Amino acid sequence: MDRYKKLNIYDMYPNRGELELGMNTVDPTLSANVVNNTDLGNMFFNMLVGGSYQPFNQDNRINRRVGMSTGMGNMGINAMLDEYGKSANAYAGPLYANVTETENDELIKSLGLQGNNFNANITQTPENTRYGVQGLLSNIFGGNLSAEAFKDDNDKGLQFLFNKRF
């Protein structure tokens, strides 16, 4: 079970600093991050430096990490680097692009469009390239009817989903 606590350590405009402390009791882990948030009026710039300690993980007891994000309005970029992988993301309105390198040195690339009722994406991994389109068809019977069409190197299909909360 994860437990988190966030403490404000300074607030000097345009910068605000936070200390994030975390603990997982199921998979014993202690975590700490120092975050600096900078408000530049119509723009932001945030930095994170931290790490975690996992006493029972023989392969990686200490996991250091660093991250940053910047943007304005509905455009931005962010990046994260830790012992398990590297990732960079960019977005401009409904368009997005992601690149991730996993701990096994696999490169995953994704490009897409995400709207309120319509999504389209292309995801490329070392094993496969997948093309997908999802859309909300209708609100009926108190739920949502959506459809997804996809094609990848091994398969293609059309799926319909009806989702209703009780």
Side-chain angles (χ1 to χ4, degrees), residues 3-8 18-23 31 33:
R3 302 272 188 220
Y4 291 98
K5 181 74 176 169
K6 191 181 289 188
L7 305 167
N8 291 327
E18 298 170 341
L19 175 63
E20 299 173 342
L21 301 172
M23 178 175 86
S31 177
N33 297 315

Side-chain angles (χ1 to χ4, degrees), residues 4-45:
Y4 291 98
K5 181 74 176 169
K6 191 181 289 188
L7 305 167
N8 291 327
I9 52 178
Y10 60 88
D11 192 355
M12 298 177 291
Y13 185 81
N15 295 306
R16 188 177 74 246
E18 298 170 341
L19 175 63
E20 299 173 342
L21 301 172
M23 178 175 86
N24 184 318
T25 55
V26 175
D27 180 16
T29 306
L30 295 173
S31 177
N33 297 315
V34 175
V35 180
N36 182 72
N37 300 307
T38 304
D39 180 359
L40 300 169
N42 63 348
M43 193 174 167
F44 67 89
F45 181 77

Side-chain angles (χ1 to χ4, degrees), residues 103-160:
E103 64 182 309
N104 300 326
D105 295 325
E106 292 182 343
L107 193 61
I108 301 169
K109 298 180 268 186
S110 182
L111 183 64
L113 169 73
Q114 184 165 358
N116 291 333
N117 298 324
F118 177 80
N119 301 320
N121 56 59
I122 301 169
T123 302
Q124 184 181 40
T125 66
E127 297 84 29
N128 199 0
T129 299
R130 186 174 201 276
Y131 306 89
V133 176
Q134 305 89 25
L136 177 65
L137 299 176
S138 181
N139 294 318
I140 59 172
F141 306 118
N144 295 325
L145 177 63
S146 60
E148 175 184 15
F150 70 92
K151 180 185 182 320
D152 62 31
D153 297 340
N154 306 311
D155 200 5
K156 58 186 167 193
L158 180 62
Q159 301 175 356
F160 293 94

Side-chain angles (χ1 to χ4, degrees), residues 41-91:
N42 63 348
M43 193 174 167
F44 67 89
F45 181 77
N46 302 330
M47 286 289 298
L48 172 140
V49 176
S52 59
Y53 174 67
Q54 297 172 287
F56 300 111
N57 183 340
Q58 298 301 321
D59 296 329
N60 189 13
R61 288 182 190 228
I62 297 175
N63 179 17
R64 296 170 292 277
R65 63 185 154 268
V66 63
M68 63 76 63
S69 64
T70 186
M72 65 174 103
N74 64 353
M75 296 189 321
I77 58 172
N78 59 58
M80 183 73 151
L81 169 68
D82 68 8
E83 302 290 327
Y84 295 109
K86 305 170 198 153
S87 66
N89 309 298
Y91 60 92

